Amino acid sequence: MCRFLIFKASSVDKELILPGRDPILLAHLLTRPEHSIINQSYDSRLRIDNRRPINGDGFGVGYYTPEADPELGDGPCVFCATTPAWNNLNLARLAEKTKSSMVFAHVRASTAGVLSETNCHPFTFHSLMFMHNGQITNFQRMKRKFASHMKDEYFLYVQGGTDSEWAFALFLDTLDKLGVDPSGPAGVNGFGHEMIRNAMLLTIQFVKDWSKQCSEGDADNEEPSLLNFAVTDGHSVIVTRYITSQTEEAASLHFSTGSKFIEYEPGQYKMERRDRRQDVILVASEPLTFERSDWVTVPTNSILTINNQTVLLHPIMDEFYQTDPSVSRSSNFAASRGLVSPIVEPQASTNVNLPPLEREGRRRLSITV
Amino acid sequence: MCRFLIFKASSVDKELILPGRDPILLAHLLTRPEHSIINQSYDSRLRIDNRRPINGDGFGVGYYTPEADPELGDGPCVFCATTPAWNNLNLARLAEKTKSSMVFAHVRASTAGVLSETNCHPFTFHSLMFMHNGQITNFQRMKRKFASHMKDEYFLYVQGGTDSEWAFALFLDTLDKLGVDPSGPAGVNGFGHEMIRNAMLLTIQFVKDWSKQCSEGDADNEEPSLLNFAVTDGHSVIVTRYITSQTEEAASLHFSTGSKFIEYEPGQYKMERRDRRQDVILVASEPLTFERSDWVTVPTNSILTINNQTVLLHPIMDEFYQTDPSVSRSSNFAASRGLVSPIVEPQASTNVNLPPLEREGRRRLSITV
Amino acid sequence: MCRFLIFKASSVDKELILPGRDPILLAHLLTRPEHSIINQSYDSRLRIDNRRPINGDGFGVGYYTPEADPELGDGPCVFCATTPAWNNLNLARLAEKTKSSMVFAHVRASTAGVLSETNCHPFTFHSLMFMHNGQITNFQRMKRKFASHMKDEYFLYVQGGTDSEWAFALFLDTLDKLGVDPSGPAGVNGFGHEMIRNAMLLTIQFVKDWSKQCSEGDADNEEPSLLNFAVTDGHSVIVTRYITSQTEEAASLHFSTGSKFIEYEPGQYKMERRDRRQDVILVASEPLTFERSDWVTVPTNSILTINNQTVLLHPIMDEFYQTDPSVSRSSNFAASRGLVSPIVEPQASTNVNLPPLEREGRRRLSITV
Amino acid sequence: MCRFLIFKASSVDKELILPGRDPILLAHLLTRPEHSIINQSYDSRLRIDNRRPINGDGFGVGYYTPEADPELGDGPCVFCATTPAWNNLNLARLAEKTKSSMVFAHVRASTAGVLSETNCHPFTFHSLMFMHNGQITNFQRMKRKFASHMKDEYFLYVQGGTDSEWAFALFLDTLDKLGVDPSGPAGVNGFGHEMIRNAMLLTIQFVKDWSKQCSEGDADNEEPSLLNFAVTDGHSVIVTRYITSQTEEAASLHFSTGSKFIEYEPGQYKMERRDRRQDVILVASEPLTFERSDWVTVPTNSILTINNQTVLLHPIMDEFYQTDPSVSRSSNFAASRGLVSPIVEPQASTNVNLPPLEREGRRRLSITV
């Protein structure tokens, strides 16, 4: 059971920055919200499947610097940890001192790959950043297909042992074969959302095909793969909610748009919508606020695009697309993997005025720092 | 919410070792049991209070070597980790290759003191080993009392920032003032269980007194301190279940005795009792097996002694002792701290033949190692 | 043998920022210079005393954010590591994406205190930041003096086990007793350089007095203490070069001023001086460049002040001040502690076009990041 | 510049153990000798090439348990660390409490592969253990050859990113293709020294062949590969000293035999030879003692075998074997990689009665433990 979170503010287009307004303090996403993905990772009230291991197996956040400064380069900055995120002093301090308009964050419960910084999401390659929530079923059987399909550059890119890093390498290889150099300068508007979406859909196609070829016997009866992928070039964002099944739901995915993501009382956040602007867009495996109306659920087997602060949703029309509107997918499989997260109602809290750590009787790490 | 576990086999008296029989493989205590304190720490089915942070904040195990070998010395060996215990490769490997007849293990959720190896239990001093489950309320106010009361040797012993380490330093100082040199050779039978029990009771007395002196205003209305301490010199073991309250229950504490602690199916353990011998004694903050009949609950505000494989229970008769048998203590406070753990019934498990990690779809770290 | 480094650019006064000009990319101080304190820590050509342990015992960097943004607060951001700095992926990435006008950096070889993040310099308290290069001789004997002298607030501030952290707590206590609240807002110009210098001199006085009181027998024959302290409130910087001896040199200390700190070829830096402006000031335990003329040596037992981009040097006139100009101090003691670093000449380098890691045949960690 | 060390005592054949006599306390190999591979790693007096990074990039020790106990299994126990070995509290404590008759230890300066536990030597596979001192030149170009040559089982075995781990996987694959199941029970005498030596020689042959095939242009002018490999099944030990060059020396390798490895004064060790027995055999990249007569240098391009406490040396007779006795190899290349270590003379030491850490003015970590 992993979790991920994407934040994009309009000012990510660096020419348009209104200084001090749009980039968000990382603490507002990561450490302060009662329902942040870090607090989710230890607070079991917020957990759906309590039989699964807690997300204590690694954490990563990647962000693009808000300044238009050539010295800072195009690529994102990544901070990873293999100790639990909720107790990481460096993270707590950086989050209070760092702002960004484009943030990817990921909390990991290892299902494959040992605990190592090389296995932490998000993965980056020059200006690109990638993360995965889910699993490629029987990846071990397919690993050689991945290895032999790719150009050397991407084969050698892989440092760790996870299906997710290989999936990113495959995405890079696919982008390359579509005529784009993933290591090259992305241009003022990046690689373009159509190109990235196209490469993502092809990546899923490869995984799907190899999965069939490598199945032992009755492929239809094997566990489906859960392919919620997110990728960005610092401009557009592409996120999939996908499962290789016609009858099961994919891992949950939600988004929220508004004019500002605000803390209305300590630890409690909501999406403010003062007008119809979408200055702020959040995409998350689990809702970050308790406001049901803040969140829209992305349908299973569709692909979400953020382009110029507009959210687009396209269905992924393949053999796993469910055309019969009367059929509803089961959430059993995704739930068994701890990957279903409905939009929750606010819960009565006894210490509602305390931020989460203090409420637990814990000392906040960064108080005097 | 911390957890601790104590294991003692009869062969701890090294002259009497029947090789290969009595010392237990650490894996049988730590990594293999479905209900080990490590698996408890991520498996929320086994958690009582899901609102509390998970025990991912540090782990320690201390054990005495089973061989009577002067080169190995009197003291225990301690392995600590600040990464989650369930994903620690070194621990997984050591547990499969190390045996001992006297083991202390501790899983920590930090309530005070940053995540650091210096804050990991058990703490050791020459042949002595100590751990704590609970908290000294308002310890910050009392810290100077601790510091000024002790001899330099024990004042300077403290390396970290936890109430627990200071409590151990106080215990050492108390032992010293009773005429025993804690750094000296403990003798064939150690310091003697009476001496250790006496020092432990005095230690609790000091904490209690200073707590009153340092309370601001109405001491009776302050939160009580939870003082479940465990100490051993490698021979006797003393464990307290104690709370500075007449009406609340202390953090839970149980023990189990038998002829052998055995794995009857993968991940499932029980205490075997073939005769009336107590070759094996377990003391734990939470039961390690699902057999209700395996476990005896230690009453609140009493002190448990293991001497020569005999378990003794004495009440701690002070102002917090409840003499009225019709009064039953409330478990509310300890529960609010995540420190109440009743004896649980076995639960139907769907994958009962799989060991815990595999059941979760995780790869066991040490398979090929 | 520790090392430290201080960088201050004129734009630290946030009202005056000329965006993109003055704050320096941390990589230019920490990871890219061949002679950075990180590269010094593994490259023994740059080491004076090769018998000393390498500085692999911890690293810390603290920096103030360059933006005038109330959300970011007054205090510095600190990143610490207990793994060797030259191989820390998070540090390598942050250094390439972070700029600041006021930076403290510290590499540690532990002489006391276990390896722990709580023992890493710089230490911070609200807007203040502190580090130490050297050692307080016989600190263990003096620890109770420290503890009993201070107000609770500063006594309880100490989390770790080092003489340096206690020295900072003493500095805070001294500042407090001079009428300044170290936790309060520092004002537009901070606490003022006179106030900070005064508190620093008193701190040294206390250490000196207690050292004498706690000496066993012949104080004059004991090893001197090495007290190179650095402190800042984000505005002024105070650094001492001090030893409790009339005949020995203190640990080395140098500074350099100029209009810009520039990389003239890969890994090779120099201080540019286009006019008489001191836009950039560096203070370091060892020179960062091979240009002898870039560096001025701070005399033993003096105190350096940076105020408004002006460097002031004052002698510390006490019993250890050497008034006789014909007497020259010996560098034996400081050298025996690995704390003497002369200004070095450039050395012929065979691979001068390669940055340092590549020259060593090592892959740069952040190549694709 | 890595270093490795092998220790084998006669009692490794478990039936023959004379309890308490032959297995060595790990501290005598790792932490106590002034010239242990750990102390070598920070004490630059013992370093040959001071321009190379210090060996602070990871440490691993693997040992077989001395008891003949089926519960402990056939395989070794491995303890790895990514923090510097000289400051690792767990290692310091384990070394004082663990004995073994067969030990592999490795200190790593990363030349490839990020700092991660998955990249630490020794690598293990069931009863086998492997380590490497050196580098496969241009391994990136050959990686696909490795991947496509191997059976799935060994291809999937690789978890990290080092040439060394791939070399071990290739060795396992080669053993398998020779008709031995590396995961199977090794039998009372292991797989047999001839079989292991044969597989090792074939492994080197593959590396050599692929290296030629993957060279770009003039293979003869490329840097040679340094292939000092060590492998054991818990019974026999095979170690190579090999370089793919006819004119350069391989990384240094020495061995020492005797009746006991003893500490004659604190921190000073020597090999005792009371009779002609070889109860103790040490093989090391650098001598562990200052006695020139203790050590025999293994010739370049030869393979060393330990079988039943007998040391055999065979030349590796291939195109890189130097048949002309009048030609002497140059040590320039290996020296440039920091891999040449001559047998050194004892040096005058000023504090000869102090163990190494105390001599440096450092507090020993485990003093009270």
Side-chain angles (χ1 to χ4, degrees), chain B residues 114 116 118 140 143-144 147-148 150-152 155-156 158-161, chain C residues 114 116 118 140 143-144 147-148 150-152 155-156 158-161:
Chain B
V114 295
S116 157
T118 51
Q140 293 296 311
K143 198 170 173 180
R144 279 185 186 285
S148 60
M150 288 177 208
K151 291 172 73 171
D152 266 13
F155 171 68
L156 296 174
V158 177
Q159 296 288 318
Chain C
V114 295
S116 156
T118 52
Q140 294 294 310
K143 198 170 175 181
R144 280 185 183 285
S148 61
M150 289 177 208
K151 291 173 71 171
D152 266 13
F155 171 69
L156 295 174
V158 178
Q159 296 287 317

Side-chain angles (χ1 to χ4, degrees), chain A residues 222-292:
Chain A
E222 294 196 346
E223 278 188 358
S225 289
L226 292 157
L227 307 181
N228 287 20
F229 291 136
V231 71
T232 181
D233 59 353
H235 300 267
S236 313
V237 178
I238 301 290
V239 195
T240 59
R241 184 182 182 206
Y242 188 81
I243 186 169
T244 59
S245 160
Q246 212 182 20
T247 55
E248 294 284 341
E249 268 185 30
S252 60
L253 190 70
H254 311 276
F255 72 93
S256 178
T257 62
S259 47
K260 203 169 180 192
F261 187 61
I262 59 160
E263 187 172 18
Y264 60 96
E265 60 181 62
Q268 306 296 322
Y269 282 76
K270 66 178 176 186
M271 186 61 84
E272 196 180 59
R273 278 184 222 83
R274 268 185 295 187
D275 44 33
R276 313 194 118 229
R277 293 171 57 195
Q278 300 191 346
D279 289 335
V280 169
I281 301 174
L282 284 167
V283 185
S285 54
E286 307 192 18
L288 263 78
T289 73
F290 291 119
E291 298 294 315
R292 178 183 284 273

Side-chain angles (χ1 to χ4, degrees), chain A residues 89-138:
Chain A
L89 213 53
N90 283 324
L91 174 65
R93 294 185 291 214
L94 290 168
E96 294 290 336
K97 297 292 179 184
T98 307
K99 289 185 157 192
S100 175
S101 300
M102 174 78 94
V103 183
F104 272 33
H106 190 278
V107 179
R108 178 170 174 252
S110 64
T111 50
V114 294
L115 185 62
S116 157
E117 286 192 10
T118 53
N119 289 340
C120 280
H121 308 225
F123 301 101
T124 64
F125 187 81
H126 299 273
S127 65
L128 291 157
M129 182 154 61
F130 178 93
M131 55 188 177
H132 176 201
N133 185 23
Q135 61 182 44
I136 300 178
T137 300
N138 293 323

Side-chain angles (χ1 to χ4, degrees), chain D residues 245-313:
Chain D
S245 161
Q246 212 180 20
T247 55
E248 293 284 341
E249 267 187 30
S252 60
L253 190 71
H254 311 276
F255 72 92
S256 179
T257 61
S259 48
K260 204 169 180 191
F261 187 62
I262 59 160
E263 188 172 18
Y264 60 96
E265 57 182 65
Q268 304 297 322
Y269 282 75
K270 65 177 178 186
M271 185 62 85
E272 195 180 62
R273 278 184 222 82
R274 269 186 295 189
D275 44 34
R276 314 193 115 232
R277 292 170 57 195
Q278 300 191 344
D279 287 334
V280 168
I281 301 173
L282 283 168
V283 185
S285 54
E286 306 193 18
L288 262 80
T289 73
F290 291 119
E291 298 294 317
R292 179 182 283 275
S293 61
D294 280 352
W295 295 91
V296 178
T297 297
V298 176
T300 283
N301 286 19
S302 55
I303 189 163
L304 179 152
T305 303
I306 309 178
N307 178 39
N308 287 332
Q309 296 308 104
T310 303
V311 175
L312 307 171
L313 285 177

Side-chain angles (χ1 to χ4, degrees), chain D residues 23-318:
Chain D
I24 196 169
L25 189 69
L26 298 190
H28 288 310
L29 295 175
L30 303 179
T31 49
R32 293 192 194 173
E34 173 172 313
H35 206 176
S36 79
I37 61 172
I38 290 176
N39 291 334
Q40 284 171 16
S41 70
Y42 72 75
D43 188 340
S44 299
R45 282 175 305 176
L46 311 175
R47 298 178 66 197
I48 302 311
D49 178 359
N50 282 332
R51 287 166 304 177
R52 298 266 125 209
I54 204 76
N55 294 294
D57 290 347
F59 172 82
V61 57
Y63 58 91
Y64 294 83
T65 51
E67 301 83 9
D69 181 337
E71 251 197 316
L72 297 178
D74 282 335
C77 185
V78 171
F79 177 83
C80 283
T82 54
T83 51
W86 63 80
N87 216 343
N88 189 296
L89 212 53
N90 282 325
L91 174 65
R93 293 185 292 215
L94 289 169
E96 293 290 337
K97 297 291 178 183
T98 306
K99 290 186 155 190
S100 174
S101 300
M102 174 78 94
V103 182
F104 272 31
H106 191 277
V107 178
R108 179 172 172 251
S110 64
T111 51
V114 295
L115 185 61
S116 156
E117 286 193 9
T118 52
N119 289 342
C120 279
H121 308 224
F123 301 101
T124 63
F125 187 82
H126 298 273
S127 64
L128 291 157
M129 181 153 63
F130 178 94
M131 55 188 178
H132 176 200
N133 184 23
Q135 61 181 44
I136 301 177
T137 301
N138 294 322
F139 171 69
Q140 293 295 310
R141 288 190 209 142
M142 304 159 62
K143 199 170 174 181
R144 279 186 186 283
K145 294 268 182 192
F146 277 78
S148 59
H149 174 84
M150 287 177 208
K151 292 172 73 170
D152 266 14
E153 185 171 357
Y154 312 110
F155 171 70
L156 296 173
Y157 166 78
V158 177
Q159 297 286 318
T162 60
D163 52 352
S164 306
E165 191 185 13
W166 280 97
F168 182 36
L170 174 60
F171 170 83
L172 294 172
D173 184 73
T174 304
L175 203 58
D176 185 312
K177 287 169 180 163
L178 287 173
V180 166
D181 177 5
S183 69
V188 171
N189 295 310
F191 297 116
H193 62 101
E194 298 91 346
M195 174 60 76
I196 299 174
R197 188 167 57 239
N198 200 4
M200 181 64 94
L201 290 170
L202 282 169
T203 299
I204 286 179
Q205 187 67 45
F206 283 122
V207 173
K208 216 168 53 185
D209 292 348
W210 297 338
S211 183
K212 272 180 207 153
Q213 293 165 28
C214 298
S215 82
E216 293 174 342
D218 189 3
D220 293 342
N221 286 329
E222 295 197 344
E223 278 189 355
S225 289
L226 292 157
L227 307 181
N228 286 20
F229 292 136
V231 70
T232 182
D233 59 353
H235 298 267
S236 311
V237 178
I238 302 290
V239 195
T240 60
R241 184 181 182 207
Y242 188 82
I243 185 168
T244 60
S245 161
Q246 212 180 20
T247 55
E248 293 284 341
E249 267 187 30
S252 60
L253 190 71
H254 311 276
F255 72 92
S256 179
T257 61
S259 48
K260 204 169 180 191
F261 187 62
I262 59 160
E263 188 172 18
Y264 60 96
E265 57 182 65
Q268 304 297 322
Y269 282 75
K270 65 177 178 186
M271 185 62 85
E272 195 180 62
R273 278 184 222 82
R274 269 186 295 189
D275 44 34
R276 314 193 115 232
R277 292 170 57 195
Q278 300 191 344
D279 287 334
V280 168
I281 301 173
L282 283 168
V283 185
S285 54
E286 306 193 18
L288 262 80
T289 73
F290 291 119
E291 298 294 317
R292 179 182 283 275
S293 61
D294 280 352
W295 295 91
V296 178
T297 297
V298 176
T300 283
N301 286 19
S302 55
I303 189 163
L304 179 152
T305 303
I306 309 178
N307 178 39
N308 287 332
Q309 296 308 104
T310 303
V311 175
L312 307 171
L313 285 177
H314 298 96
I316 301 178
M317 308 282 282
D318 62 7

Side-chain angles (χ1 to χ4, degrees), chain A residues 1 14 24-26 90 94 108 110 141-142 147 181 205-206 218 221 295 317 356:
Chain A
M1 180 175 59
K14 296 182 178 183
I24 196 169
L25 189 69
L26 297 190
N90 283 324
L94 290 168
R108 178 170 174 252
S110 64
R141 287 189 209 141
M142 305 159 61
D181 177 5
Q205 186 67 45
F206 284 121
D218 188 4
N221 286 329
W295 296 92
M317 307 281 282

Side-chain angles (χ1 to χ4, degrees), chain B residues 99-339:
Chain B
K99 290 186 155 190
S100 174
S101 301
M102 174 78 94
V103 183
F104 271 32
H106 190 279
V107 179
R108 179 171 172 251
S110 64
T111 50
V114 295
L115 185 62
S116 157
E117 286 192 10
T118 51
N119 289 341
C120 280
H121 308 224
F123 301 101
T124 63
F125 187 82
H126 299 273
S127 64
L128 291 157
M129 181 153 62
F130 178 94
M131 55 188 177
H132 176 201
N133 185 23
Q135 60 182 43
I136 301 177
T137 301
N138 294 322
F139 172 69
Q140 293 296 311
R141 287 189 210 142
M142 305 158 62
K143 198 170 173 180
R144 279 185 186 285
K145 293 269 183 190
F146 277 78
S148 60
H149 174 84
M150 288 177 208
K151 291 172 73 171
D152 266 13
E153 185 172 357
Y154 311 110
F155 171 68
L156 296 174
Y157 166 78
V158 177
Q159 296 288 318
T162 60
D163 52 353
S164 306
E165 192 184 13
W166 281 97
F168 182 37
L170 175 59
F171 170 84
L172 295 172
D173 184 74
T174 304
L175 203 57
D176 185 312
K177 287 168 180 163
L178 287 173
V180 166
D181 176 4
S183 70
V188 173
N189 295 310
F191 297 116
H193 62 100
E194 299 91 347
M195 174 60 77
I196 299 174
R197 188 167 56 240
N198 200 4
M200 181 64 93
L201 291 169
L202 282 169
T203 299
I204 287 179
Q205 187 67 45
F206 284 122
V207 174
K208 215 167 52 184
D209 291 350
W210 296 337
S211 181
K212 270 181 209 151
Q213 292 165 28
C214 298
S215 82
E216 292 173 343
D218 189 2
D220 293 342
N221 286 328
E222 296 196 345
E223 277 190 356
S225 290
L226 292 157
L227 307 180
N228 287 20
F229 292 136
V231 70
T232 181
D233 59 353
H235 298 267
S236 312
V237 178
I238 302 290
V239 195
T240 59
R241 184 181 182 207
Y242 189 81
I243 186 168
T244 59
S245 161
Q246 211 181 22
T247 56
E248 294 284 341
E249 268 187 30
S252 59
L253 190 71
H254 312 276
F255 71 93
S256 179
T257 62
S259 47
K260 204 169 179 191
F261 187 60
I262 59 160
E263 188 171 18
Y264 60 95
E265 57 181 65
Q268 305 296 322
Y269 282 74
K270 65 178 178 184
M271 185 62 84
E272 195 179 62
R273 276 183 224 82
R274 268 186 296 189
D275 45 34
R276 315 194 114 229
R277 293 170 56 194
Q278 300 191 345
D279 287 334
V280 169
I281 302 174
L282 285 167
V283 184
S285 54
E286 306 192 20
L288 263 79
T289 73
F290 291 120
E291 298 294 316
R292 179 182 283 275
S293 61
D294 280 352
W295 296 91
V296 178
T297 297
V298 176
T300 284
N301 287 19
S302 54
I303 189 164
L304 178 153
T305 303
I306 309 179
N307 178 38
N308 287 331
Q309 296 308 105
T310 303
V311 176
L312 307 171
L313 285 176
H314 299 95
I316 301 178
M317 307 283 281
D318 63 7
E319 67 272 34
F320 298 119
Y321 190 70
Q322 186 46 269
T323 48
D324 182 347
S326 71
V327 174
S328 90
R329 289 170 180 262
S330 154
S331 64
N332 287 352
F333 177 70
S336 77
R337 288 294 171 274
L339 293 167

